[in-house]
């Protein structure tokens, strides 16, 4: 596997499930809340990528990492290997130019000496594999990786990055959220408003809406999404309940998100794994 940029992961020996591998690719991350992104050129004529993803045997027992695979910017697979429980990815790469491997950590210790997450037996093949998975959607990008056109959320706790957010027991990365701080505005309603430029090139927006699991049981909120000034989805959200967001947005210019805080106490309103889907080239 040949990186397309100067940024490349370490390649070294790693021990996985008691077996030492001489050329493991350390995709990390190497610490809590880190992220690691590596791009690779797909050799011409390749049909399949296969790889085993595992936490090295010297990793902490509670290591939690999410590894994402993109094919020409289209997300094709998401896996969460754990210590002693490796994962396998088999992807169809016919006609694909670039593979991206992205890792995000909730709990991780340092890389090296068989710590951290590694790829083993990672290789491209010209052979067809009926088990190979295609990228189901077109290219996508995470909303929180885009600067908002405008945002108004000065007085409340605001969170927008790759750090993990828990919704009804499930970890979500790439979340847009806002809420009441524990010491500020205990009963204020907000709202918090964010606007993003879709550039008339998006096909749909997808996310999981909910209340962060660390919120008080009394906290509830409302998430309102509008496209070019027209409301497209409004949900009142409470602890332990999530709502899928899957909204077609052809030829749309502006996405508007409004969080309003309803029930009393500390809490966060969340759009987890919040993505903008694009049309294939």
């Amino acid at each position: 596997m040949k990186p397309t940029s100067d940024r490349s992961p370490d390649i070294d020996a790693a021990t996985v499930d008691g077996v030492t591998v001489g050329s493991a690719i350390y995709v990390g991350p190497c610490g809590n809340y880190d992220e690691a992104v590596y791009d690779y050129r797909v050799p011409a004529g390749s049909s399949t990528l296969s790889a085993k993803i595992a936490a090295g045997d010297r990793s902490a027992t509670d290591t939690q990492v999410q590894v994402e695979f993109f094919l020409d910017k289209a997300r094709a697979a998401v896996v969460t290997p754990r210590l002693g429980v490796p994962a396998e990815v088999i992807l169809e790469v016919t006609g694909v130019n670039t593979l991206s491997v992205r890792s995000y950590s909730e709990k991780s210790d340092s890389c090296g000496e068989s710590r951290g997450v590694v790829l083993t037996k990672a290789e491209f093949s010209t052979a067809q594999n009926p088990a190979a998975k295609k990228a189901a959607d077109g290219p996508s990008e995470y909303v929180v990786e885009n600067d908002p056109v405008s945002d108004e959320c000065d007085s409340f706790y605001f969170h927008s990055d790759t750090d993990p957010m828990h919704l009804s027991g499930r970890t979500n990365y790439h979340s847009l959220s806002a809420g009441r701080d524990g010491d500020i505005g205990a009963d204020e309603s907000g709202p918090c408003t964010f606007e993003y430029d879709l550039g008339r090139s998006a096909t749909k927006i997808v996310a999981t809406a909910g209340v962060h699991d660390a919120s008080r049981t009394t906290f509830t909120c409302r998430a309102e999404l509008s496209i070019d000034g027209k409301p497209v989805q409004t949900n009142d959200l409470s602890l332990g309940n999530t709502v899928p967001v899957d909204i077609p947005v052809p030829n749309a210019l502006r996405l508007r998100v409004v969080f309003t805080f309803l029930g009393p106490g500390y809490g966060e309103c969340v759009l987890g794994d919040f993505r903008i889907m694009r049309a294939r080239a």
Side-chain angles (χ1 to χ4, degrees):
M1 294 176 63
K2 185 177 181 180
T4 60
S5 67
D6 293 337
R7 183 178 185 183
S8 59
D10 292 334
I11 299 177
D12 205 344
T15 302
V16 177
D17 283 348
V19 177
T20 299
V21 179
S23 299
I25 303 172
Y26 280 82
V27 294
C30 300
N32 289 349
Y33 310 121
D34 281 354
E35 61 178 302
V37 181
Y38 302 108
D39 296 327
Y40 294 91
R41 183 176 296 107
V42 178
S46 297
S47 296
T48 304
L49 164 75
S50 59
K52 183 178 181 180
I53 307 97
D57 283 1
R58 287 179 56 80
S59 299
T61 303
D62 61 351
T63 292
Q64 296 181 31
V65 175
Q66 177 167 295
V67 184
E68 304 172 358
F69 293 81
F70 285 76
L71 302 176
D72 287 343
K73 298 184 179 181
R75 196 169 77 178
V78 177
V79 296
T80 54
R82 298 289 185 264
L83 182 66
V85 187
E88 185 177 27
V89 165
I90 304 174
L91 300 178
E92 182 177 319
V93 296
T94 302
V96 173
N97 296 310
T98 303
L99 162 73
S100 295
V101 181
R102 306 173 62 160
S103 300
Y104 303 92
S105 172
E106 179 176 3
K107 295 181 179 179
S108 180
D109 52 12
S110 61
C111 294
E113 297 183 358
S114 297
R115 295 174 182 247
V117 171
V118 297
L119 302 185
T120 64
K121 300 181 180 179
E123 60 182 2
F124 293 105
S125 171
T126 58
Q128 296 283 346
N129 188 325
K133 180 180 178 181
K134 296 181 180 180
D137 295 307
S140 67
E141 59 192 46
Y142 295 113
V143 172
V144 293
E145 293 179 346
N146 292 266
D147 292 330
V149 174
S150 65
D151 61 85
E152 298 180 18
C153 198
D154 294 338
S155 300
F156 305 92
Y157 181 76
F158 170 50
H159 173 109
S160 177
D161 50 32
T162 59
D163 289 356
M165 302 285 289
H166 301 283
L167 301 176
S168 193
R170 182 171 181 175
T171 303
N172 286 256
Y173 296 82
H174 320 293
S175 299
L176 175 68
S177 73
R180 297 195 189 100
D181 186 276
D183 299 319
I184 301 173
D187 295 312
E188 296 291 340
S189 62
C192 285
T193 303
F194 309 92
E195 292 190 347
Y196 295 91
D197 179 17
L198 298 180
R200 300 202 186 283
S201 62
T203 58
K204 64 178 178 177
I205 56 174
V206 296
T208 299
V211 169
H212 183 33
D213 287 356
S215 303
R216 292 186 180 273
T217 56
T218 56
F219 178 83
T220 57
C221 65
R222 178 173 297 139
E224 302 172 82
L225 289 84
S226 300
I227 300 295
D228 292 336
K230 298 179 180 179
V232 291
Q233 183 166 328
T234 299
N235 296 108
D236 287 356
L237 305 168
S238 59
L239 188 68
N241 297 293
T242 59
V243 177
V245 175
D246 191 333
I247 303 171
V249 291
N251 201 41
L253 181 61
R254 188 60 47 81
L255 165 65
R256 188 169 191 256
V257 178
V258 180
F259 293 129
T260 304
F261 316 125
L262 304 176
Y266 165 82
E268 291 182 72
C269 205
V270 182
L271 290 172
D273 194 23
F274 194 11
R275 289 190 291 159
I276 301 171
M277 314 303 299
R278 306 286 185 184
R280 295 184 187 274

